[in-house]
Amino acid sequence: VGWDNKLRVWMDSTNKKGVQHPITVMPSEHSKRQSHQIEILCLAHYPPVYVVTGGADGSIAIWNVVSGVFERKLPYPSIAAVNADEDCSCTQVSWLAEYKLIVTAHSNGCILFWNPNRASTKTSSSDSSYSAHLGFRHTTHRRHGGITCMVTAKQSTLLVTCDNAAMLQVFSLSQFAELDMERTHDLNLNSYVQRVNVWFTEHVNGITCIDYLDSKDLLLTCGHDQEVLLWTSDGVKIGMFGQQTPKAWNLNDCQTFMDRSSRSQVETIADESDVPDTTTQNKQSQDIDGTWQLSAQDNDGNGAMQDGGVMKIHDDTLQLIQNQNYEQSRSENDAVLANPELHAILKRPTTSFVKTKTKKKTAVQSVLNQHLKTFALEEIPKESPFK
């Protein structure tokens, strides 16, 4: 898959040829059904005969590998978006066999869950996307450029995600058994997708790939730094593949592990699972007692807030802020250039400098250019570098 929105199927054969060509290209040149995903970034097998792809627009598309036909496209749900301009590219897609769901990870730090079986019973595209979207879960990956990779483990009961800051999070999906998969849609799944661990790895410039070893409860991570690290599920670094110092690690001897304790920061790193309220309207007004008050409407739109709904700022605080701004502005205006001749030129009163309404930097530059062009030779001091 790639930027041309086409899928290519290759034969898994032992016949070694110099050049191998795909046996199927989807969609074909004569097909009128297109996915229109801008660019396909990831894909996963959707049993038994389907493939699901994730696009740069945040959507997913389902394809039939046997017939080579594009089935349907499910757009990114607006209810999971914080704002209309954010990057919601689908960076990873996986199949949850235990719950028969599709899970996708996105560049805005959101995890989406889809029920594709329910979408097949609908006729219109709008009804299809509405019913297929089971729910969403925002994560703290949003602060670090979104999710770069994701893996499911332990029979679809664990979900591991990573980001550009080399932070790793582990989520439990065991509460999904309580969901009514046939009736649930567009649900905030904070209480069902529970974070159980989080820590920062040592990868430079983020994690690019991750895998989970179910039999040993171990995690493999690799990044742009070309290092492959092995971790326990508790956040203990066992070692790096290929390391020679201080000594090689042994899975049966914890004394050889690089870490003696867990790096878990589940208590210190906030779980930013709630969607920020982008509909909040702030109002600023001055009270009769000389204080400023800031009020905001709540989700119900009734203007009520906790603790009276008003945050007051006293005049003394405002005066202090104004004084600080004034001192900063004054220090900028009174700045002396390293060259005394240039400083003298800039301090001369000029009509063009007073009338200009451009930015200060532009005005200063124009005045400087004007004076340098008309500067009389006899006015140049003996010590001037311009002589």
Side-chain angles (χ1 to χ4, degrees), residues 273-314:
S273 57
D274 294 330
V275 182
D277 185 9
T278 57
T279 61
T280 301
Q281 299 178 355
N282 295 330
K283 296 181 180 180
Q284 192 175 17
S285 60
Q286 187 172 15
D287 204 354
I288 57 175
D289 61 352
T291 60
W292 287 77
Q293 59 184 12
L294 181 67
S295 60
Q297 293 182 352
D298 62 355
N299 294 335
D300 298 332
N302 54 14
M305 292 180 62
Q306 294 182 356
D307 299 334
V310 175
M311 181 180 65
K312 293 186 176 183
I313 303 176
H314 199 271

Side-chain angles (χ1 to χ4, degrees), residues 32-100:
K32 296 182 179 180
R33 294 177 58 85
Q34 303 288 333
S35 66
H36 301 291
Q37 287 189 288
I38 303 179
E39 180 183 357
I40 298 177
L41 303 178
C42 54
L43 80 164
H45 181 214
Y46 163 29
V49 295
Y50 299 101
V51 167
V52 56
T53 59
D57 57 354
S59 66
I60 63 171
I62 299 176
W63 309 72
N64 190 315
V65 181
V66 175
S67 63
V69 176
F70 163 67
E71 295 287 338
R72 57 193 180 276
K73 176 183 176 180
L74 306 176
Y76 187 91
S78 57
I79 191 173
V82 176
N83 58 71
D85 300 326
E86 67 180 353
D87 180 13
C88 57
S89 302
C90 182
T91 57
Q92 193 79 46
V93 58
S94 298
W95 170 252
L96 298 176
E98 183 71 16
Y99 305 107
K100 292 181 171 54

Side-chain angles (χ1 to χ4, degrees), residues 80-217:
V82 176
N83 58 71
D85 300 326
E86 67 180 353
D87 180 13
C88 57
S89 302
C90 182
T91 57
Q92 193 79 46
V93 58
S94 298
W95 170 252
L96 298 176
E98 183 71 16
Y99 305 107
K100 292 181 171 54
L101 298 175
I102 296 173
V103 56
T104 56
H106 296 262
S107 296
N108 58 356
C110 186
I111 304 174
L112 297 182
F113 297 87
W114 313 77
N115 190 344
N117 298 322
R118 192 168 52 196
S120 61
T121 62
K122 301 294 180 180
T123 55
S124 66
S125 59
S126 60
D127 291 340
S128 176
S129 61
Y130 176 80
S131 62
H133 179 236
L134 182 74
F136 61 92
R137 212 284 191 185
H138 285 273
T139 69
T140 191
H141 290 303
R142 182 181 185 84
R143 296 188 299 170
H144 306 292
I147 301 174
T148 57
C149 52
M150 175 184 67
V151 66
T152 60
K154 308 297 287 186
Q155 298 181 349
S156 303
T157 58
L158 279 183
L159 193 66
V160 185
T161 57
C162 304
D163 60 27
N164 289 304
M167 184 177 69
L168 183 149
Q169 292 193 98
V170 182
F171 298 92
S172 173
L173 305 180
S174 58
Q175 299 296 323
F176 265 39
E178 303 177 2
L179 279 174
D180 187 353
M181 299 297 180
E182 296 301 322
R183 297 183 179 182
T184 302
H185 58 80
D186 296 338
L187 181 65
N188 191 329
L189 299 173
N190 293 346
S191 58
Y192 294 94
V193 184
Q194 300 177 347
R195 190 180 73 173
V196 295
N197 211 342
V198 56
W199 69 87
F200 280 95
T201 64
E202 294 181 343
H203 289 290
V204 180
N205 298 328
I207 300 174
T208 57
C209 188
I210 186 172
D211 199 4
Y212 194 99
L213 308 179
D214 288 5
S215 59
K216 298 289 186 177
D217 282 328

Side-chain angles (χ1 to χ4, degrees), residues 338-342 345 372 375 380-387:
N339 190 298
E341 289 75 26
L342 293 180
I345 293 174
L372 289 178
F375 208 100
I380 301 179
K382 296 182 179 180
E383 296 79 13
S384 173
F386 296 99
K387 189 173 180 179

